[in-house]
Amino acid sequence: MQRWRPAYIGLGSNLEDPERQVLRAWARLGTLPETRPICRSPLYRSRPFGPVAQPDFINAVAGLLTRLEPEAMLEALHAAEADLGRRRDGPRWGPRLIDLDLLVLGRERRAGPGLLLPHAGIVERNFVLYPLADIAPDLDVPGLGRVSELKARLASDGLWRIEREQ
């Protein structure tokens, strides 16, 4: 039997009541096989990343324990997105009903087609690092460094913490 390992998932939406979509996704993570949700960051509003004009996003990060291997976790996240109504026929970095990104899974480092761990761009994206720092400031992201130190290098421009708790 596989051992339990921590996993961190980025959640984001900017369509059809994005706060509700992120909270639905958080609940859906509780149904993943061999996986236990442990915590979720507060919600954040962020400016869109990339060249496509679109509404602001709502983002959060979830902390899980899982026995799934990285490929199985990615497959489970894609299935969850589909169950929640995500379609993958829009432009890259375009608007999304829901986006679930596998950010970190244990000490795994992978660089293959379709799966890169830790997730590409963590160190450049305040909408990932700020919520991740809320729940795991001392996490050592494999090959990149401690979350609190990575966050300290990024400005919070275009990012607003939503103070009310859901």
Side-chain angles (χ1 to χ4, degrees), residues 82-95:
D83 288 349
L84 292 165
R86 168 125 186 220
R87 296 180 59 198
R88 293 185 173 272
D89 55 1
R92 182 177 170 101
W93 293 317

Side-chain angles (χ1 to χ4, degrees), residues 17 19 21-22 27-28 32-33 42 47 52 64 67 73 84-85 97 100-101 117-118 139-140 146:
D17 191 355
E19 287 186 35
Q21 299 300 338
V22 168
R28 179 63 175 79
L32 297 182
R47 290 192 189 122
V52 178
L64 315 173
R67 289 182 173 156
M73 175 58 85
L84 292 165
L97 184 65
L100 299 174
D101 289 328
L117 283 175
L139 175 67
D140 182 25
R146 188 174 307 278

Side-chain angles (χ1 to χ4, degrees), residues 4-117:
W4 290 96
R5 296 182 291 172
Y8 296 90
I9 311 299
L11 300 89
S13 174
N14 70 343
L15 296 175
E16 299 178 27
D17 191 355
E19 287 186 35
R20 185 174 70 83
Q21 299 300 338
V22 168
L23 295 175
R24 283 180 64 221
W26 162 247
R28 179 63 175 79
L29 291 176
T31 70
L32 297 182
E34 299 292 319
T35 301
R36 305 277 189 271
I38 302 299
C39 59
R40 177 185 55 82
S41 74
L43 302 179
Y44 283 79
R45 177 174 302 282
S46 66
R47 290 192 189 122
F49 182 81
V52 178
Q54 59 189 305
D56 286 350
F57 275 84
I58 298 298
N59 298 99
V61 171
L64 315 173
L65 287 176
T66 189
R67 289 182 173 156
L68 295 178
E69 289 297 320
E71 294 81 6
M73 175 58 85
L74 186 62
E75 185 177 313
L77 292 175
H78 286 169
E81 288 176 333
D83 288 349
L84 292 165
R86 168 125 186 220
R87 296 180 59 198
R88 293 185 173 272
D89 55 1
R92 182 177 170 101
W93 293 317
R96 289 183 280 296
L97 184 65
I98 194 64
D99 192 23
L100 299 174
D101 289 328
L102 179 55
L103 303 173
V104 177
L105 198 159
R107 300 295 307 154
E108 293 286 335
R109 293 178 77 176
R110 304 277 175 102
L115 180 60
L116 181 63
L117 283 175

